[in-house]
Amino acid sequence: MRALLQRVKRAAVRVGGNLISEIGPGVLVLLGVGANEDEAVCCRLAAQVAKLRIFDDTAGKMNLSLLEVGGAALVVPQFTLYADTTRGLRPFFGAACEPGRARELYERFIAEVARLGVETRTGSFGARMDVELVNDGPVTIMLEASGDRG
């Protein structure tokens, strides 16, 4: 499972021109689900997102977590995080999870982030979305967890 985190001042998702979700300060999480993921991976990655110290403390050092600053998470499904371009110029997505299972794990990830105490908003699984954000920093971090790791 891969999560591309962007620390944001605000972020929003629109589908068909209609606003479906928005947050103020927090993180935009672009979430990709790999073919061999499970609920345990969701829980590990959700905890890392909630507890990763990427927000500034009073001294200006990245020392505070999303939970500590009371920020929100906007979680957007992003299967293209599993693009393989080693075979040429057209991305291959064979390592991405099939859509039905990916939706289940996407929803499980969202539920776990919320259970940990983070205000959570979502994109629209399977929809073509317009994602708007004001990056804060910018701070962008790739996280990865898999079922292969204990």
Side-chain angles (χ1 to χ4, degrees):
M1 190 169 262
R2 295 175 179 163
L4 183 68
L5 272 72
Q6 295 182 300
R7 189 175 72 182
V8 298
K9 293 183 179 182
R10 65 181 177 279
V13 174
R14 295 179 189 280
V15 174
N18 297 314
L19 179 68
I20 63 164
S21 289
E22 65 183 334
I23 62 168
V27 293
L28 171 64
V29 181
L30 302 176
L31 185 71
V33 180
N36 298 313
E37 310 300 0
D38 60 21
E39 286 78 7
V41 172
C42 287
C43 292
R44 283 197 312 271
L45 193 59
Q48 193 172 9
V49 167
K51 297 174 183 176
L52 192 68
R53 296 174 3 179
I54 61 170
F55 293 89
D56 295 346
D57 62 15
T58 56
K61 296 192 185 282
M62 287 197 302
N63 202 28
L64 300 175
S65 71
L66 188 58
L67 286 168
E68 292 169 315
V69 299
L74 176 56
V75 185
V76 176
Q78 186 76 45
F79 79 94
T80 60
L81 289 175
Y82 278 90
D84 178 354
T85 59
T86 60
R87 299 179 187 172
L89 298 177
R90 183 165 188 240
F92 173 68
F93 300 104
C97 189
E98 62 85 16
R101 181 66 174 149
R103 179 188 297 264
E104 290 173 11
L105 293 173
Y106 168 73
E107 291 172 356
R108 177 67 175 103
F109 176 86
I110 292 162
E112 184 63 16
V113 172
R115 187 193 71 75
L116 291 167
V118 175
E119 176 188 341
T120 307
R121 301 285 184 265
T122 66
S124 181
F125 193 94
R128 185 169 206 95
M129 295 170 276
D130 294 329
V131 180
E132 306 165 0
L133 70 132
V134 175
N135 209 320
D136 181 14
V139 173
T140 303
I141 296 176
M142 176 66 86
L143 300 177
E144 189 164 6
S146 73
D148 297 336
R149 299 179 190 141

